[in-house]
Amino acid sequence: MSDRRVAPVTAHEPPYYAVVFTSVRTEDGDGYGETAERLEELVKEVPGFLGMDQARTPGGLGITVGYFRDLAAVEEWRSDLEHRAAQKRGRAQWYEAYTVHVAKVERSHTFERDPARG
């Protein structure tokens, strides 16, 4: 069992940008995990990357939200050569369908329960 605490990305000072990637995968997962891990390493190197939340529903809908300080950071990630190659492979092999939304975050706040209160 992992000691890694599950928590959403902390709120940042607006404005910033959220890139929402929703997807339904195919049954062919060959190479997917390794590629996803590599992309997670790469995106962290983008100046202006603020964090990422991920979830998958029992029905198979995957949701990844990447947060970026500005549109220049979004564009840098979008145009990364390894990311572009993974997108191409995703369309050919891993995804039945996906949607990308880029949104400007104008308001943001965080709540965390005090562990002492239980």
Side-chain angles (χ1 to χ4, degrees):
M1 177 179 261
S2 173
D3 290 338
R4 186 175 163 191
R5 181 174 168 255
V6 175
V9 171
T10 302
H12 294 276
E13 184 65 32
Y16 58 96
Y17 290 84
V19 177
V20 183
F21 177 73
T22 55
S23 64
V24 177
R25 297 219 345 240
T26 66
E27 291 185 20
D28 184 355
D30 183 46
Y32 183 86
E34 298 85 356
T35 302
E37 285 179 19
R38 175 64 181 147
L39 292 180
E40 196 167 330
E41 291 171 9
L42 278 177
V43 73
K44 290 175 182 176
E45 296 174 7
V46 172
F49 174 71
L50 302 173
M52 178 172 49
D53 290 318
Q54 297 176 309
R56 185 161 293 282
T57 70
L61 180 69
I63 303 168
T64 300
V65 183
Y67 303 96
F68 297 86
R69 174 54 48 209
D70 51 35
L71 287 174
V74 172
E75 180 58 26
E76 182 168 335
W77 177 236
R78 188 187 75 77
S79 61
D80 178 90
L81 293 178
E82 281 188 70
H83 184 209
R84 302 284 294 186
Q87 290 172 343
K88 185 175 181 179
R89 187 171 178 192
R91 285 188 297 274
Q93 180 181 352
W94 297 318
Y95 296 113
E96 290 290 339
Y98 67 79
T99 303
V100 177
H101 304 277
V102 178
K104 185 176 184 179
V105 177
E106 296 183 359
R107 184 172 51 202
S108 183
H109 67 274
T110 296
F111 165 82
E112 275 193 53
R113 184 170 309 282
D114 180 353
R117 291 185 56 206

